[in-house]
Amino acid sequence: MRLAQRMSRLGTENAFTVLAQVQRLAAAGHDIINLGIGDPDFDTPTYIKEAACHSLAEGRTHYSPSQGIPPLRAAIAAELTRTRGVPFSADEIVVTPGAKPILFYVLLALAEEGDEVLYPNPGFPIYESCIEFVGARAVPIPLLEERDFQLDIKALQRAVGPRTRVLILNSPNNPTGGVLSRGDLEVVAGLAQRYDAWVMADEIYSRFLFEGRFESIAALPGMKERTIIVDGFSKTYAMTGWRMGYGVMPAALAQKITQLIINSVSCTATFIQDAGITALQGPQDESDRMIAEFRARRDLVVAGLNTIPGIHCRTPGGAFYAFPNVTEACRRLRLPNAEAFQDRAMRDAGVAVLARSNFGRRNEGETEEYVRLSFAASREHLQEGLRRLRGFVERGAE
Ligand code: PLP
């Protein structure tokens, strides 16, 4: 099959491949503890589902404005003004089917051949994939385990320059759970201003912060006009399958992103947008309970991992992932790398985890091995997963 050249530059997100593998094994009767997927194991709160049903019953089943319905954009602007500490208006909001399209559209709109886009690595694999797809150069900025997976600031300072078009941030980070400090945000802001670059701040996990108050780079002086915030409903309201997210950006760029929406998906489903207004304006206690539960699971998982020989794990400050270092465990098991660990953990222990290689290419000089475990499983499942991993590492090492 002859494909356009650009397709050779498109990557993927392997979490979906592993999910399909888990479902196949489970259907064949295997007992798999799935710690691979980043999809909250909670149901969407009832008040949100009822709002969608009500909207459907009212016949809200037609096209709606491509940028998003005005009352939803107003509700998002109010929410962002409250949570980010800087004022936003509805004309700065663009609603899309999931947060992912914003990443794609923004890179399509801003970056091209000759440009460089900096991104956190390890990171959400779609960054690297989309940067290369649009023809720009993907420049990884390492996240350092010894800095609790904050940016390698020296590497950032070396990498940034006049070709830098966009700096991607993701705090709290997938897959490491790392949270950027105010100091790091200030360094990034200073560099973005010096080189006249955009910052795309993927803040989809901003509500999943286990200590302190969330800080957005958009609130730093001079940053709102060069920042695109990416956020959405998938994680906060356990709505991954509904497909609704948004970008927050200067109004002129929002118009261009809307043009990309008109050319691709036309709009986000109207009744789902109605439910989005209810999600934002309704009681937040179910989300708060879910986030508190993730925090308890984090403590359980980190403590459990740190008792397994050959595994050590930093305490993630946010998101719902643990990113243990399994270098020594791989050595004990005579496995060449974390990918082999992922494979064997699935086959021998019935535990699905994702190797570091699913989150961007290996950084220069990177020698350690990591896997990502998601807390999107009950405490019982997490405990059983940990028990199996311990058995697997100890047995294999005999
Ligand atoms: N950004 C990050 C860092 C994510 O982890 C995810 C989902 O896993 C997304 C964006 C995409 O979110 P959505 O499902 O709303 O498209």
Side-chain angles (χ1 to χ4, degrees):
M1 181 173 43
R2 183 180 163 273
L3 294 173
Q5 183 59 32
R6 71 176 77 85
M7 287 303 288
S8 66
R9 302 194 302 267
L10 189 64
T12 191
E13 185 181 358
N14 282 327
F16 285 101
T17 318
V18 173
L19 179 64
Q21 191 185 0
V22 169
Q23 284 169 344
R24 247 192 339 269
L25 285 169
H30 295 270
D31 166 27
I32 307 284
I33 302 276
N34 185 7
L35 308 182
I37 192 77
D39 187 348
D41 56 315
F42 293 84
D43 200 7
T44 305
T46 307
Y47 76 96
I48 303 174
K49 290 198 280 189
E50 283 172 356
C53 291
H54 178 73
S55 178
L56 276 171
E58 295 277 296
R60 302 264 299 153
T61 54
H62 296 272
Y63 291 131
S64 52
S66 297
Q67 190 175 347
I69 56 174
L72 175 60
R73 287 192 284 114
I76 294 169
E79 168 78 1
L80 269 281
T81 300
R82 191 177 65 75
T83 54
R84 306 314 202 265
V86 59
F88 291 99
S89 59
D91 61 348
E92 296 169 312
I93 314 292
V94 182
V95 179
T96 45
K100 244 181 192 172
I102 297 287
L103 304 172
F104 197 43
Y105 293 151
V106 164
L107 289 169
L108 268 176
L110 294 180
E112 61 192 342
E113 217 176 307
D115 291 331
E116 294 183 348
V117 179
L118 279 47
Y119 67 102
N121 190 29
F124 189 47
I126 297 307
Y127 307 146
E128 201 173 85
S129 170
C130 287
I131 297 165
E132 291 184 338
F133 187 67
V134 304
R137 197 163 88 84
V139 182
I141 306 301
L143 301 180
L144 300 177
E145 186 181 8
E146 63 270 26
R147 295 197 73 220
D148 285 328
F149 297 109
Q150 291 196 77
L151 293 167
D152 179 341
I153 293 291
K154 286 207 181 81
L156 171 68
Q157 284 164 333
R158 274 196 308 273
V160 75
R163 285 176 183 270
T164 307
R165 184 78 172 122
V166 185
L167 282 147
I168 301 179
L169 301 180
N170 175 216
S171 175
N173 171 265
N174 174 11
T176 66
V179 176
L180 295 178
S181 67
R182 170 137 190 144
D184 279 13
L185 293 179
E186 282 168 354
V187 172
V188 174
L191 292 170
Q193 291 180 29
R194 168 144 32 118
Y195 292 103
D196 191 20
W198 288 90
V199 170
M200 181 155 67
D202 183 342
E203 300 182 352
I204 192 120
Y205 295 104
S206 58
R207 282 280 289 275
F208 298 81
L209 185 71
F210 301 127
E211 278 98 31
R213 196 174 176 282
F214 180 73
E215 294 209 58
S216 175
I217 193 163
L220 296 184
M223 286 310 291
K224 191 190 149 182
E225 53 267 37
R226 59 176 69 252
T227 300
I228 298 128
I229 295 177
V230 182
D231 202 341
F233 296 79
S234 297
K235 315 282 174 177
T236 306
Y237 299 101
M239 288 172 68
T240 50
W242 292 60
R243 309 311 299 137
M244 183 163 53
Y246 51 85
V248 187
M249 63 199 81
L253 180 60
Q255 288 310 310
K256 293 294 165 192
I257 301 300
T258 301
Q259 203 178 337
L260 284 164
I261 295 174
I262 294 170
N263 276 273
S264 51
V265 293
S266 292
C267 63
T268 300
T270 309
F271 59 94
I272 289 179
Q273 294 193 61
D274 287 341
I277 302 172
T278 308
L280 291 172
Q281 295 179 344
Q284 301 296 301
D285 24 324
E286 280 193 62
S287 288
D288 291 343
R289 262 201 304 281
M290 176 174 76
I291 293 159
E293 174 61 21
F294 277 132
R295 189 197 157 116
R297 292 176 185 179
R298 172 198 70 167
D299 294 342
L300 179 156
V301 169
V302 172
L305 285 169
N306 281 321
T307 64
I308 301 177
I311 295 185
H312 57 90
C313 184
R314 297 259 163 175
T315 303
F320 42 82
Y321 310 108
F323 199 63
N325 184 319
V326 295
T327 315
E328 181 58 22
C330 288
R331 201 187 57 75
R332 284 163 158 255
L333 293 163
R334 298 189 185 82
L335 297 173
N337 51 36
E339 271 170 84
F341 185 99
Q342 173 189 318
D343 242 37
R344 284 277 304 278
M346 177 91 96
R347 273 193 292 128
D348 296 1
V351 181
V353 298
L354 290 174
R356 187 265 181 261
S357 55
N358 295 294
F359 302 98
R361 63 172 79 110
R362 200 178 269 269
N363 288 312
E364 233 177 270
E366 182 180 321
T367 54
E368 301 294 283
E369 301 295 333
Y370 303 91
V371 294
R372 188 192 81 173
L373 275 74
S374 160
F375 314 153
S378 67
R379 291 193 212 189
E380 294 69 39
H381 273 96
L382 288 167
Q383 251 147 357
E384 174 61 12
L386 289 165
R387 195 188 65 74
R388 290 185 189 186
L389 283 178
R390 166 188 280 284
F392 157 66
V393 173
E394 285 179 346
R395 250 192 343 269
E398 275 162 13

